[in-house]
Amino acid sequence: MGTILVFVAGVLFLAGILFIKPRAKCELMWKTVLNWSLYVVWYAITWIGISFVYINFNVGHVKATSTAIFLFLGISVVLAIALARLLGFIGVKKISNTTVQV
Amino acid sequence: MEEKGEQKHKFEMSRRNFLRAGATATALGVIGAIKAPVKVANAAVPSNVKFSAGAAGQWSKLHPEPDYGGATVRYAENNDQWLGTSKIVGTVKNISEADMGFALAARGLISDKAQRGFFNFVPKHPFGGAISWARTWIASEDAVDGQPAPEKLPIPDPEQMSQHIKDAAYFLRADEVGIGKMPPYAYYSHKIINPALLVHNPVEQCVKPFTERLPYVIVVMVDQHLETMLASTGYDGISASQSMRSYHATGNIAIILAKYIRSLGYHARAHHAANYGAVMGPCILASGLGELTRTGDCALHPRLGFRHKVAAVTTDLPLVPDKPIDFGLQDFCRVCGKCADNCPSGAITHDKDPVEHNGYLRWNTDMKKCTEFRVANEEGSSCGRCMKVCPWNSKENSWFHQAGLFIGSHGETSSKFLKSIDDMFGYGTEQIEKYKWWLEWPELYKVAPGLPPNPAAPPATSK
Ligand code: SF4
Ligand code: SF4
């Protein structure tokens, strides 16, 4: 199961790169770097959390499992929202297509 | 009081600075005061024993590197001022086995209840009793000691032989093994002939002098079983069985290793829980297998914690001893105190620093309180609650616990951080029901009503 999780994590990491690539590149270099850095940090935290929860759940550390779900899921969601906002998946107002009527 | 304060101040030179000073002094060749080691036997001229050793400096062939579970480990000294991270501040006297905690209980020097409890606290649980009974078969003098073979067999050089002996221990299912320069003060001055004698007779009639002095000690360590500990309260019916499991396992390994070494033509004596000639704490430190903890004389291994028991073999087989280790445990114990918070008898001190005890510094734990609780515990058989809750003991082997050990071995601030995380995640104090495999018989846990008869006394009736 552990090996499968590592494999899934690797595949999803690459898929994620392909998915955000068109949006991650910005005219300002520092914005591009920020997007990619945030993606890597978000991805790492998420999978550290999954691994931590998986191992603790299997061993039977109940409090560690529930605390880790709360902690890592919380951080992961916050980072995901920030990343989605930066990449323009959420929070960007659509430009109206209507022409000005005289 | 003032004198005590002064004395304390004198000992406050930092350990690392002292080690540095010690290294310089060694380089200058001024440590002439160290007692000359007991004589190592000369090896027979090597011949072809069809052995290709691992690389120089390698731990062993089966385990090229020692496994410290992620902790950062530095080497420390074994001289007349330090044994690893334990500072020697006076003369460490060889103690009599009759002055150890359980013997004090048997002598009636703790309480009446403790004296009666000593004789049934293990066998009152049928499983603990069964393992303990098995130990008695390897307890005789013939099992632990004997004459070496008259002819020395050819063996490889001391470094290669050390690797080989470690692998022999791993092969015999030791979880850890180390080789140390035997501290002479680790030997008992006197050994108990039969614990039951202690109840009825003056102590001088119950002990005999222990005179062996050999230069090296091989220490083997066996885990007390993580899952069992996770399911236990630490002082229920399985507690003594956990100790007995590892006493029995290490005892078996030690007597086999000792016999093997004697067959090669060298002196070797096994020391295990059913027949000790030495105190194991200093042997563990000398063999690079741990540091002393807040609990007093328990030594903690970086990977196993003190969730282990050990046995030892003292020998004059030419070996290369390992160095004692320092992985920052003194700093960790200083800020942790989780064992003290959870000890059901209040035996473990909350003091910030160790104090002098028999010529060395250790935390001021009340051995009598601990012994009394263990032998008179009527909720189970013995106790290992401190072992259960200690952050170094309560984890499976995983990447984040390895990361935790790395953090924990880096000074007081990171130790405080790790201890808070440990508490936040509830490690140590939980009981994981799915691993509770043993049976409990609370009706059997009462302290014995009477004492055993005097083994020296003649039978009451004869026909
Ligand atoms: S064994 Fe039990 S009584 Fe003794 S020090 Fe540890 S927790 Fe306390
Ligand atoms: S519980 Fe804490 S203070 Fe006690 S031995 Fe373990 S690390 Fe040291």
Side-chain angles (χ1 to χ4, degrees):
Chain A
M1 184 65 185
T3 318
I4 294 172
L5 278 181
V6 171
F7 178 73
V8 171
V11 169
L12 288 180
F13 184 67
L14 296 176
I17 290 176
L18 295 177
F19 183 61
I20 68 167
K21 205 172 170 190
R23 290 172 180 254
K25 193 162 168 50
C26 300
E27 283 183 8
L28 289 172
M29 182 62 172
W30 69 266
K31 277 194 174 178
T32 311
V33 172
L34 180 67
N35 286 338
W36 283 118
S37 308
L38 205 57
Y39 172 68
V40 171
V41 170
W42 167 74
Y43 201 82
I45 295 267
T46 304
W47 279 92
I48 286 173
I50 291 169
S51 169
F52 191 97
V53 168
Y54 172 74
I55 294 171
N56 278 280
F57 176 77
N58 269 313
V59 176
H61 297 299
V62 177
K63 193 176 172 198
T65 306
S66 54
T67 311
I69 289 173
F70 183 74
L71 187 76
F72 286 105
L73 197 71
I75 299 173
S76 175
V77 166
V78 169
L79 289 178
I81 291 170
L83 186 62
R85 176 74 183 79
L86 283 175
L87 294 175
F89 286 115
I90 55 170
V92 179
K93 279 188 192 135
K94 279 199 177 127
I95 297 161
S96 173
N97 231 356
T98 50
T99 50
V100 179
Q101 305 270 319
V102 184
Chain B
M1 281 303 278
E2 203 180 79
E3 198 181 294
K4 208 173 173 189
E6 247 175 50
Q7 194 183 33
K8 193 173 163 229
H9 185 73
K10 234 167 53 188
F11 301 148
E12 270 173 359
M13 181 177 185
S14 95
R15 188 174 72 241
R16 288 198 178 77
N17 284 345
F18 190 93
L19 291 180
R20 259 181 239 134
T24 317
T26 312
L28 293 170
V30 294
I31 304 191
I34 301 171
K35 283 189 199 103
V38 198
K39 211 168 170 240
V40 183
N42 290 324
V45 179
S47 72
N48 183 12
V49 285
K50 295 191 176 169
F51 177 72
S52 61
Q58 188 168 309
W59 182 253
S60 82
K61 290 187 83 172
L62 297 176
H63 294 260
E65 298 283 334
D67 186 355
Y68 297 129
T72 301
V73 172
R74 300 158 285 268
Y75 290 111
E77 295 303 322
N78 175 358
N79 57 32
D80 60 351
Q81 284 147 334
W82 291 94
L83 180 57
T85 55
S86 295
K87 182 153 172 49
I88 297 168
V89 293
T91 307
V92 185
K93 290 191 215 80
N94 295 81
I95 52 174
S96 167
E97 193 180 16
D99 292 330
M100 300 298 279
F102 288 135
L104 294 180
R107 290 165 65 186
L109 298 179
I110 295 181
S111 69
D112 166 58
K113 198 176 176 189
Q115 189 177 31
R116 286 180 286 117
F118 170 72
F119 290 96
N120 82 327
F121 81 105
V122 175
K124 68 187 177 184
H125 190 285
F127 190 55
I131 315 176
S132 181
W133 166 83
R135 283 185 320 154
T136 57
W137 295 100
I138 56 170
S140 69
E141 288 302 310
D142 284 347
V144 298
D145 205 357
Q147 284 304 312
E151 293 286 313
K152 283 188 169 57
L153 289 181
I155 54 171
D157 74 35
E159 185 177 357
Q160 296 177 356
M161 200 57 195
S162 301
Q163 289 189 9
H164 166 68
I165 287 291
K166 285 175 187 166
D167 283 330
Y170 287 127
F171 173 76
L172 293 169
R173 288 177 288 187
D175 288 314
E176 279 305 336
V177 55
I179 298 171
K181 192 173 80 175
M182 178 69 179
Y185 49 78
Y187 280 110
Y188 280 137
S189 62
H190 292 80
K191 233 191 107 41
I192 297 170
I193 298 163
N194 175 350
L197 285 171
L198 291 166
V199 180
H200 307 279
N201 304 283
V203 67
E204 314 79 59
Q205 291 174 18
C206 311
V207 294
K208 57 182 178 188
F210 192 81
T211 53
E212 178 205 278
R213 296 294 180 266
L214 291 170
Y216 299 125
V217 60
I218 303 157
V219 175
V220 291
M221 196 172 255
V222 169
D223 192 339
Q224 288 195 43
H225 203 244
L226 174 71
E227 286 83 356
T228 301
M229 192 188 74
L230 291 175
S232 163
T233 58
Y235 48 88
D236 49 23
I238 200 65
S239 183
S241 302
Q242 285 188 259
S243 302
M244 294 303 131
R245 166 197 206 253
S246 302
Y247 280 144
H248 181 250
T250 52
N252 276 317
I253 297 169
I255 62 161
I256 294 169
L257 280 182
K259 174 71 180 167
Y260 174 47
I261 294 170
R262 291 196 300 273
S263 312
L264 301 179
Y266 300 86
H267 292 96
R269 192 220 195 255
H271 305 259
H272 63 81
N275 190 335
Y276 283 129
V279 190
M280 292 296 102
C283 298
I284 297 174
L285 306 196
S287 309
L289 290 178
E291 288 187 54
L292 283 188
T293 62
R294 176 175 287 279
T295 60
D297 281 335
C298 278
L300 186 150
H301 181 269
R303 178 172 64 84
L304 292 171
F306 59 98
R307 196 187 69 229
H308 63 72
K309 291 292 182 198
V310 301
V313 176
T314 43
T315 182
D316 61 0
L317 177 72
L319 295 168
V320 176
D322 301 309
K323 288 201 131 201
I325 54 174
D326 171 3
F327 48 98
L329 186 69
Q330 305 311 300
D331 289 339
F332 197 100
C333 281
R334 199 169 287 120
V335 298
C336 170
K338 197 163 177 171
C339 51
D341 296 339
N342 284 278
C343 169
S345 72
I348 303 175
T349 179
H350 284 90
D351 290 354
K352 191 162 190 301
D353 288 302
V355 296
E356 183 177 358
H357 168 85
N358 187 28
Y360 65 98
L361 296 187
R362 67 157 215 195
W363 265 282
N364 192 19
T365 285
D366 191 333
M367 171 177 78
K368 287 186 178 174
K369 272 190 190 168
C370 169
T371 304
E372 180 161 38
F373 184 84
R374 288 161 86 187
V375 297
N377 170 20
E378 295 191 327
E379 288 176 60
S381 168
S382 193
C383 176
R385 178 78 181 162
C386 47
M387 169 180 90
K388 178 181 168 69
V389 300
C390 175
W392 293 76
N393 305 351
S394 55
K395 315 290 180 342
E396 63 289 342
N397 188 10
S398 61
W399 64 264
F400 49 88
H401 293 315
Q402 293 197 353
L405 294 186
F406 176 81
I407 296 168
S409 54
H410 281 87
E412 284 192 20
T413 312
S414 48
S415 300
K416 248 185 216 160
F417 172 67
L418 189 70
K419 161 72 173 20
S420 320
I421 292 183
D422 201 76
D423 290 343
M424 184 173 87
F425 285 126
Y427 293 127
T429 46
E430 68 205 329
Q431 271 170 262
I432 305 179
E433 190 59 31
K434 70 173 176 176
Y435 300 126
K436 194 186 166 299
W437 57 268
W438 65 94
L439 308 178
E440 296 275 358
W441 291 276
E443 67 279 14
L444 300 180
Y445 300 159
K446 294 275 171 279
V447 166
L451 290 164
N454 189 353
T461 51
S462 59
K463 285 202 168 182

